[in-house]
Amino acid sequence: MPAFAQDKVKLSVNGSVRARVETIGGQFRPNSPESDSFVSFRTVLAAKADIGAFTFGGEVVDARGYGENEKSTVRTNEINDLEPVQAYIAVRPTKGSQLTVGKFAMDIGASRLVGRTDFPNGVPTYLGAKFELQDKNKNQLYLFWTRPFTALPDTPADIYDNKVQLDRATENIEFFGGNAMLAKLFGKTSIEAYGFRLIEHDRSTHPTRNRRLITFGTRLRRAPAKGAIDYEVEAALQRGLARATAAVSDVRDLKVHAGFVHAELGRTFAGKWAPRVAALFDYASGETANPNTYTRFDTLYGARRADFGPLSLYGALGRANIVSPGVRFEARPSKRLDLMASVRGAWLASSIDAFSSTGVTDKTGRSGKFGGVQFELRGRRWLVPQKLRFELGAAYLAKGEFLQDAPNAPRSGDTKFVHGDLTFSF
C-alpha cells in the first residue's frame, strides 16, 4: 500500500496473507508420527508513522494451523495466534543513524546467528534497544541489548488448539552484542566482524542449561552478479560456560569449545535466465567424549532455511554436528519465475552426538557418520506481479547408515516432504 504524507506525518501500512499446505512421509525424528500433514494460514499487518526524526512502528502476526497429527512436531514456529511481534519507537539523531527501543525483530549479517526467516510462520522477537549506523559508503554498525521473547503457548495441546496467548519476555536471558561491516574492503568484497553474548540465569521456575556464551566471527562476501564469480565465507567460534542439561540437579559448568564454518563459491552466467551454480560447504561442531567440555555449536537465534532447506514439518539439517558439502543451481527464466535445485551430503562431525536437527543419536558411536543425501527443488511464480505469488517446493532425504542404524532412528524409509504456498501481499 503506498505511503501518504500530511503535515509532515508519513504513514505506511503493508501486510500479507499466506496459505500453506505441507506433508511429510518417512519421518526422521524419533518418537514422532511416520507421516503428517498440516495446513497453515499466516496473516501479517505492519504499520509505521514517521514524524520528523521519530518513527512509531508496530506489526501483528496471526499464524494458525490445522489438520496436524495428534503427536505432530508442529510447534510455536508455525502456530502463534494474534501476536504483536513489533511495537517500537525509533529516533534518527543524525543522518544515517537510528536508535530503536521496544519490541522488535532482528536480522544481522547473513542471519545465521540472528535472523528473521520467511519460511516459518512465527517470528523471533526481542525486548530492548538497538542502534544502527550507515555512512554514505554503506559501511554499517549494529549494536543491541535485548531480552528474547519466549513464544507461547508452549504445550503441544494448546498449540494444536490455536490458543491465543501473548509471548513473554524472558526474564532470565540477556542477549547483546554487535556487528560491523565494511562494504567495499577489496573492490566489491565486503567484510563483517561480530560478537554476541548470551547469558542465561538458571532458575527453578525456568530451568535452563545456564549458557554463558560468547560467539565471535567474521564474514567475507562478494555478491552474485551476471558473468562474474561470487563467494562467501563465514566462520565463528563459541566460548564460555554451559551445563550438559537443563535439569535443576545439573549444576556442573562445562567449558564451551564450539564453532561453525560456511563457505560458498558460485558463478552467475550471462543470458536471459541468469543461471547460477554454486558449490557449498557447511561445518558445525558436535559433542565429544570429553566430560569437561561442551562442543556442540549453538546457533543462537539464527535462521537456517537458506542454507539447509525447508523447515516446519521438515528441517532435518541445521547448524550443529554436521559436515555437509553440496551444490545449488538457481535460475530466473522471467521476472515472474525463479527456480532452485540443490543436493548436499551430510555427515556427523561427531559420531556420538545427535545428528544435526534430527534428534537421532548413538552414544556408542557405532552407527557411523554418514547421515544421508538431501535433494531439494523449489519454484516460485508471481501470478500477479508484487501481489500474488505461488511457491511449490519439495525435499527428499535419502537416509544414510546413521539414520538407518542408530538405536533411536525410525525405521520408516527415506523422508519425503512437499509444500505449496500461496501469498497475497498488499
Side-chain angles (χ1 to χ4, degrees), residues 58-70:
E59 181 181 6
V60 176
V61 173
D62 185 73
R64 301 171 185 258
Y66 307 91
E68 68 274 11
N69 192 291
E70 182 181 351

Side-chain angles (χ1 to χ4, degrees), residues 284-286 296-299 308 318-322 349 353-357:
S285 58
R296 183 179 176 89
F297 186 75
D298 190 320
T299 196
F308 295 110
R319 210 163 285 110
N321 194 28
I322 192 171
D353 191 17
F355 172 45
S356 200
S357 299

Side-chain angles (χ1 to χ4, degrees), residues 99-355:
L99 174 66
T100 303
V101 178
K103 182 179 183 181
F104 47 79
M106 293 195 293
D107 259 314
I108 300 179
S111 302
R112 293 189 175 97
L113 297 178
V114 185
R116 173 179 177 166
T117 181
D118 188 55
F119 194 92
N121 290 326
V123 178
T125 55
Y126 311 83
L127 179 66
K130 60 180 180 178
F131 176 75
E132 300 165 85
L133 178 65
Q134 178 172 298
D135 67 13
K136 62 181 181 180
N137 296 317
K138 298 187 178 180
N139 300 316
Q140 298 176 9
L141 177 66
Y142 192 112
L143 303 172
F144 67 94
W145 182 93
T146 67
R147 292 191 183 277
F149 274 81
T150 298
L152 296 174
D154 54 6
T155 64
D158 287 342
I159 293 170
Y160 302 157
D161 287 343
N162 289 282
K163 181 178 179 180
V164 177
Q165 186 174 355
L166 294 180
D167 295 349
R168 179 186 65 242
T170 312
E171 296 179 358
N172 61 323
I173 300 180
E174 297 173 60
F175 183 49
F176 54 92
N179 183 90
M181 183 185 76
L182 294 176
K184 296 180 180 179
L185 179 65
F186 305 112
K188 297 182 179 179
T189 297
S190 64
I191 183 171
E192 297 177 48
Y194 54 80
F196 304 132
R197 177 71 162 152
L198 178 71
I199 304 175
E200 282 183 329
H201 309 280
D202 196 21
R203 299 178 183 176
S204 58
T205 54
H206 297 90
T208 70
R209 288 183 38 244
N210 213 38
R211 295 172 295 168
R212 284 141 291 165
L213 304 178
I214 299 175
T215 306
F216 51 93
T218 188
R219 175 183 178 228
L220 281 170
R221 180 176 184 258
R222 181 185 175 106
K226 272 191 177 184
I229 291 176
D230 61 85
Y231 51 83
E232 180 181 8
V233 179
E234 181 171 358
L237 294 175
Q238 209 161 59
R239 297 294 184 263
L241 298 171
R243 293 170 186 167
T245 70
V248 176
S249 58
D250 186 355
V251 295
R252 183 169 177 261
D253 288 331
L254 306 176
K255 291 184 178 180
V256 175
H257 292 275
F260 95 90
V261 174
H262 171 83
E264 187 168 336
L265 178 64
R267 179 177 176 83
T268 302
F269 296 89
K272 183 179 178 181
W273 285 34
R276 177 177 181 264
V277 179
L280 317 168
F281 177 79
D282 285 275
Y283 164 84
S285 58
E287 188 64 295
T288 66
N290 188 334
N292 300 313
T293 62
Y294 190 87
T295 53
R296 183 179 176 89
F297 186 75
D298 190 320
T299 196
L300 302 177
Y301 301 95
R304 55 190 171 103
R305 193 270 179 269
D307 291 336
F308 295 110
L311 303 174
S312 194
L313 291 181
Y314 189 65
L317 306 184
R319 210 163 285 110
N321 194 28
I322 192 171
V323 179
S324 180
V327 178
R328 180 188 297 129
F329 171 80
E330 299 167 281
R332 187 177 292 274
S334 69
K335 292 182 178 180
R336 290 192 178 191
L337 176 65
D338 65 84
L339 305 171
M340 187 275 289
S342 72
V343 57
R344 64 188 312 155
W347 286 259
L348 287 75
S350 169
S351 61
I352 65 171
D353 191 17
F355 172 45

